[in-house]
């Protein structure tokens, strides 16, 4: 029997009983039964009983694992062996790294130290698998899909915020969500660019007002507004109109949870949205015992309440509309319905509809905004890329033409730039699944055993994946792995995607590039996202021709530490501080000066 995933305190309580109370009570009972008094030896004896009991449980678990391993004919996944009991030093090292180190470097270091691409961190004696191995990601997301699910641990972290939504459900409920969403991403639907046109125009007009004063703008914030307004209109036909709110002020902006903070009404919604993502990430980082940090206060409560307060009235209004239409005896055909209208026809459950909406808003806003943010970053760092991109845009669309589904297909270089940005900065850099209760064996690793070690022969044995255990997989590390991408894996080079020889490597091995994931849970919005980003970039480049980073406007504490310069790989060259909270973002926002092209009259 499983607890409601919201009841994390009860789960913690049961763990305390299992780990501490059981041995203590047993010792007490035994001693009373035997009529012995422990006297001054009592405290060490009780402590000893807890340790001994832990030791026995561990031995028993290892024995079980060992048996299961041989039964499945697989080898155990290498365990990290820290210096302190329970790998506490590893936990501390990770917590420190999340504050100061480069994106996911702490994991990369561990893979290199142990010379393998899949590891068991086993912090506080709880198994937790991490992997950057392509074969294992393929197994978890596609070929071995049925052996995994989102799982209980993940639901426990996200339930309060995402509830019944698509990201937080498995099996039948997930299938229902997927079936509900699919028709809305069919080609006819996503080739209607009216919403993109409207919101791109608005975004560029906001931008032109800022550049008229020769001020920089937090591109990350602006893009989040653009993608949220577009998504809300596409999904519920009702624009949240966040582009009309107050933007963060250059030079005055303070750090929000992710980018720069905003204080308008929209600010409360996005702050809650971002806070929730940060809490989920924090919980994941703390691992199995995260409830210890939230015994007194459920940090998610407030954020969840704010998003509900925003979305519930929208859902209620849609339900009223439906009732009205029904009374009048009219019903629009599916092709004319918004996603929200479609949902109100399948259920009357306000919370279910809200959860579905929230999940898709989350899926579409931050990811696409992240893609645009990092494209802008690269355009600022590589003016020659900007020039080529702009030439392609002007040659195909002139300075004013509105892109269509077909005209975007012709933008080869644009697509290469988007692909290359998604390779180095996949908006979802890390993902988690849990094995179902049955243990399973993972296929042998394909790539060399650790990054940069082609010479070491790849082990050919299967690995043993224990039951009910989380596995964290990291497309970001895989997509930067030199063993897959060559020695220049860390270099931004869109031409990679135009060179038949290099493309053929990816075509032969599509799993090495999975910014949209793979298998049955692959992103449903992939084409929507490519279209939205390309559409916006065409309109942007028709009017603007230069992008310059404005580090002097980054909020305090958001520039990369100087110590990074001595490190290797992208860390040494990064001009911004990329961070992750479910999705990637630039710490403090991306402050950029947008330079208007001469002919750009709007
Ligand atoms: C550059 C933009 C985007 C990227 C990189 C991206 C990436 C991803 C990834 C990696 C997943 C898998 C998540 C998981 O397995 O836990 C996913 C799922 C999903 N995405 Fe996207 N996404 C993007 C844009 C969008 C857009 C614009 C929408 C909708 C309008 C969308 C809707 C979804 C949905 C509904 C799922 C859940 C699928 C499921 O669990 O079955 N995505 N996306
Ligand atoms: C070993 O396999 C059995 C049977 O499949 C399973 O119930 C048990 O949980 C497994 N043990 C571990 C440690 O995964
Ligand atoms: C971009 O990547 C996708 C794989 O996700 C591939 O199908 C496509 O051909 C690539 N396009 C270009 C121009 O690189």
């Amino acid at each position: 029997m499983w607890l409601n995933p919201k009841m994390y305190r009860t789960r913690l309580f049961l763990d305390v009983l299992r780990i501490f109370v059981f041995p203590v009570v047993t010792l007490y009972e035994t001693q009373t039964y035997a009529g012995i008094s422990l006297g001054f030896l009592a405290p060490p004896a009780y402590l000893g009983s807890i340790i001994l009991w832990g030791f026995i449980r561990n031995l028993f678990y290892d024995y079980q694992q060992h048996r299961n391993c041989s039964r499945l004919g697989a080898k155990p996944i290498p365990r990290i062996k820290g210096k302190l009991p329970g790998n506490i030093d590893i936990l501390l090292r990770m917590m420190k790294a999340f504050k100061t180190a480069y994106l996911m470097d702490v994991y990369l270091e561990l893979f290199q130290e142990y010379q393998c691409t899949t590891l068991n961190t086993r912090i506080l004696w709880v198994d937790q698998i991490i992997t950057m191995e392509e074969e294992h990601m393929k197994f978890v997301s596609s070929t071995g899909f049925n052996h995994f699910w989102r799982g209980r641990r993940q639901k426990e972290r996200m339930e309060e915020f995402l509830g019944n939504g698509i990201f937080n459900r498995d099996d039948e409920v997930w299938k229902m969500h997927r079936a509900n969403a699919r028709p809305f991403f069919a080609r006819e639907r996503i080739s209607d660019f009216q919403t993109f046109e409207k919101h791109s125009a608005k975004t560029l007009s906001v931008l032109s007002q800022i550049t008229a004063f020769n001020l920089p703008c937090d591109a990350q914030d602006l893009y989040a507004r653009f993608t949220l307004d577009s998504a809300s209109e596409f999904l519920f036909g009702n624009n949240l109109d966040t582009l009309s709110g107050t933007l963060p002020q250059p030079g005055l902006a303070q750090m929000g949870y992710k980018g720069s903070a905003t204080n308008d009404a929209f600010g409360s919604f996005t702050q809650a949205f971002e806070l929730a993502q940060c809490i989920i990430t924090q919980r994941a980082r703390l691992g199995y015992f995260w409830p210890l940090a939230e015994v007194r206060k459920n940090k998610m409560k407030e954020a969840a309440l704010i998003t509900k307060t925003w979305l519930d009235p929208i859902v209620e209004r849609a339900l009223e509309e439906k009732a009205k239409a029904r009374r009048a005896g009219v019903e629009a055909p599916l092709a004319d319905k918004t996603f929200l209208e479609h949902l109100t026809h399948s259920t009357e459950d306000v919370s279910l509809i809200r959860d579905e909406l929230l999940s898709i808003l989350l899926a579409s806003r931050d990811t696409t905004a992240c893609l645009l943010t990092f494209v802008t970053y690269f355009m600022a760092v590589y003016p020659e890329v900007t020039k080529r991109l702009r030439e392609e845009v002007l040659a195909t669309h002139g300075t004013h033409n509105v892109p269509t589904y077909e005209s975007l297909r012709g933008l080869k270089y644009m697509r290469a730039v988007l692909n290359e940005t998604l390779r180095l900065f996949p908006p979802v850099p890390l993902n988690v699944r849990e094995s179902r209760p049955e243990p399973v064996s993972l296929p042998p690793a394909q790539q060399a055993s650790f990054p940069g070690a082609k010479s070491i022969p790849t082990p050919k044995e299967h690995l043993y994946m224990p039951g009910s255990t989380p596995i964290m997989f990291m497309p970001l590390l895989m997509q930067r792995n030199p063993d897959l991408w060559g020695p220049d894996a860390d270099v931004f080079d869109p031409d990679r995607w135009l060179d038949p020889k290099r493309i053929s490597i990816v075509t032969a091995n599509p799993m090495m590039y999975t910014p949209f994931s793979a298998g049955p849970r692959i992103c449903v919005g992939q084409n929507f996202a490519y279209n939205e980003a390309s559409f916006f970039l065409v309109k942007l480049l028709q009017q603007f021709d230069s992008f310059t980073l404005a580090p002097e406007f980054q909020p305090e504490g958001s520039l990369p530490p100087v110590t990074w310069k001595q490190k290797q790989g992208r860390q040494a060259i990064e001009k911004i501080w990329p961070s992750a909270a479910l999705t990637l973002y630039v710490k403090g926002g991306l402050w950029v000066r947008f330079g208007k092209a001469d002919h750009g009259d709007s």
Side-chain angles (χ1 to χ4, degrees):
M1 196 195 67
W2 288 339
L3 289 170
N4 177 337
K6 274 191 198 166
M7 297 168 63
Y8 67 85
R9 291 190 184 91
T10 314
R11 192 269 282 173
L12 185 66
F13 177 72
L14 294 177
D15 280 336
V16 169
L17 284 186
R18 185 171 61 87
I19 297 169
F20 300 102
V21 179
F22 176 77
V24 167
V25 168
T26 310
L27 178 61
Y28 177 81
E29 287 295 331
T30 320
Q31 163 215 329
T32 319
Y33 182 76
I36 320 164
S37 167
L38 290 169
F40 68 94
L41 281 177
Y46 282 115
L47 185 65
S49 75
I50 292 169
I51 295 174
L52 184 67
W53 174 233
F55 194 73
I56 294 173
R57 275 185 305 122
N58 233 334
L59 268 185
F60 182 68
Y61 180 82
D62 280 352
Y63 167 72
Q64 258 196 336
Q65 282 234 34
H66 181 76
R67 273 196 17 189
N68 285 356
C69 263
S70 359
R71 185 164 55 82
L72 289 170
K75 281 223 140 149
I77 294 169
R79 279 185 189 176
I80 290 177
K81 293 194 180 63
K83 295 194 181 66
L84 295 177
N87 284 348
I88 291 177
D89 54 323
I90 303 291
L91 178 64
L92 295 177
R93 177 170 152 191
M94 286 180 177
M95 293 328 266
K96 183 164 169 247
F98 293 135
K99 290 214 179 75
T100 58
Y102 187 75
L103 201 59
M104 303 173 84
D105 228 28
V106 66
Y107 298 123
L108 185 60
E109 276 174 17
L110 286 168
F111 290 127
Q112 283 170 334
E113 264 169 52
Y114 286 82
Q115 310 203 339
C116 57
T117 44
T118 297
L119 276 174
N120 182 353
T121 60
R122 203 161 162 81
I123 285 167
L124 295 172
W125 300 277
V126 181
D127 283 341
Q128 153 88 55
I129 313 304
I130 57 175
T131 184
M132 60 177 287
E133 169 59 52
E134 190 200 352
E135 278 304 310
H136 297 162
M137 286 191 218
K138 178 157 132 199
F139 188 73
V140 171
S141 53
S142 317
T143 44
F145 182 78
N146 291 329
H147 294 289
F148 296 86
W149 55 358
R150 310 293 314 192
R152 290 173 282 161
R153 296 286 156 256
Q154 194 162 205
K155 290 200 186 94
E156 200 177 62
R157 298 194 291 269
M158 314 211 295
E159 189 73 15
E160 182 92 36
F161 185 58
L162 291 179
N164 260 312
I166 188 166
F167 287 119
N168 203 31
R169 286 293 175 268
D170 291 297
D171 305 324
E172 294 315 312
V173 182
W174 164 71
K175 279 190 193 140
M176 172 204 74
H177 282 307
R178 212 108 183 150
N180 273 344
R182 206 172 292 118
F184 288 83
F185 294 91
R187 200 196 131 165
E188 313 77 65
R189 284 263 176 184
I190 60 168
S191 47
D192 175 7
F193 287 173
Q194 262 177 28
T195 36
F196 297 158
E197 192 176 345
K198 178 169 154 197
H199 300 293
S200 300
K202 176 120 198 201
T203 310
L204 292 173
S205 110
V206 170
L207 199 51
S208 297
Q209 284 165 27
I210 299 171
T211 52
F213 290 99
N214 203 15
L215 285 170
C217 158
D218 176 1
Q220 180 167 263
D221 173 83
L222 190 70
Y223 296 158
R225 291 168 192 262
F226 165 66
T227 52
L228 186 59
D229 286 4
S230 308
S232 59
E233 183 137 12
F234 173 74
L235 296 171
F236 24 103
N238 161 327
N239 165 12
L240 289 177
D241 198 17
T242 60
L243 279 163
S244 297
T246 324
L247 266 55
Q249 297 291 307
L252 300 175
Q254 295 184 334
M255 286 256 257
Y257 296 108
K258 295 169 78 174
S260 43
T262 35
N263 301 316
D264 57 345
F266 158 65
S268 73
F269 179 69
T270 40
Q271 294 289 87
F273 218 65
E274 291 178 2
L275 174 62
Q277 296 177 46
C278 292
I279 295 171
I280 292 170
T281 308
Q282 181 70 11
R283 289 174 173 182
R285 285 172 180 172
L286 286 173
Y288 183 80
F289 290 104
W290 71 262
L292 279 174
E294 295 187 39
V295 171
R296 287 182 46 199
K297 182 163 183 257
N298 178 347
K299 292 190 185 156
M300 192 65 91
K301 263 229 146 74
E302 201 185 319
L305 192 68
I306 293 174
T307 47
K308 280 181 188 126
T309 322
W310 264 77
L311 292 174
D312 282 0
I314 298 175
V315 176
E316 278 153 14
R317 220 175 307 136
L319 283 168
E320 279 163 26
E321 292 291 323
K322 180 190 94 171
K324 231 190 275 167
R326 189 157 284 174
R327 263 180 267 126
V330 282
E331 191 185 319
L334 182 65
D336 294 342
K337 279 188 202 150
T338 61
F339 184 55
L340 176 58
E341 282 165 345
H342 172 55
L343 294 181
T344 59
H345 282 267
S346 53
T347 172
E348 300 257 316
D349 182 343
V350 176
S351 74
L352 179 64
I353 299 178
R354 177 228 305 136
D355 292 346
E356 289 208 67
L357 280 184
L358 183 68
S359 289
I360 299 209
L361 274 185
L362 182 79
S364 58
R365 171 195 177 237
D366 293 60
T367 48
T368 319
C370 166
L371 169 59
L372 286 172
T373 302
F374 284 95
V375 169
T376 307
Y377 167 58
F378 283 130
M379 288 199 299
V381 179
Y382 300 103
E384 65 283 6
V385 170
T386 313
K387 187 155 169 281
R388 231 171 116 184
L389 204 49
R390 186 155 191 273
E391 276 163 12
E392 185 183 60
V393 166
L394 296 186
T396 49
H397 294 79
T399 54
H400 284 86
N401 290 353
V402 177
T404 62
Y405 193 84
E406 284 70 32
S407 77
L408 291 181
R409 307 263 103 187
L411 298 174
K412 295 274 175 299
Y413 191 64
M414 169 83 73
R415 184 72 180 221
V417 168
L418 292 177
N419 274 10
E420 184 66 347
T421 307
L422 289 169
R423 182 180 73 82
L424 287 173
F425 291 103
V428 185
L430 166 162
N431 209 328
V432 194
R433 294 284 189 273
E434 191 176 298
S435 50
R436 292 190 187 245
E438 265 306 290
V440 55
S441 84
L442 300 176
Q446 267 300 324
Q447 59 203 62
S449 49
F450 72 102
K454 265 236 150 81
S455 52
I456 305 239
T458 310
K460 284 278 166 271
E461 63 270 315
H462 288 251
L463 288 179
Y464 167 78
M465 174 78 206
S468 299
T469 300
I471 176 162
M472 212 190 263
F473 52 103
M474 311 181 185
L476 184 137
L477 294 184
M478 174 179 66
Q479 293 177 183
R480 295 179 178 195
N481 186 349
D483 282 347
L484 293 170
W485 295 89
D488 65 346
D490 273 330
V491 180
F492 178 76
D493 177 16
D495 280 318
R496 203 185 285 283
W497 298 95
L498 301 171
D499 166 4
K501 214 169 121 206
R502 283 189 284 177
I503 292 186
S504 68
I505 301 176
V506 187
T507 324
N509 189 13
M511 199 58 210
M512 70 192 256
Y513 180 69
T514 46
F516 295 96
S517 194
R521 286 194 97 129
I522 193 170
C523 177
V524 298
Q526 175 167 352
N527 289 325
F528 183 93
Y530 268 121
N531 286 336
E532 182 175 20
S534 312
F535 187 101
F536 178 78
L537 289 170
V538 168
K539 295 311 292 174
L540 178 73
L541 287 160
Q542 283 177 333
Q543 291 186 35
F544 293 86
D545 63 358
S546 75
F547 306 90
T548 321
L549 297 181
E552 67 281 16
F553 283 88
Q554 289 290 145
E556 179 97 30
S558 69
L559 282 173
V562 280
T563 49
W564 284 15
K565 290 249 181 315
Q566 282 114 47
K567 299 285 172 63
Q568 290 180 337
R570 289 212 59 86
Q571 185 170 14
I573 54 167
E574 222 70 274
K575 296 186 163 44
I576 43 128
W577 190 328
S579 308
L582 293 197
T583 52
L584 288 183
Y585 63 96
V586 176
K587 208 169 178 166
L590 181 72
W591 290 85
V592 178
R593 282 177 207 281
F594 290 74
K596 237 186 163 147
D598 281 341
H599 60 75
D601 46 25
S602 95

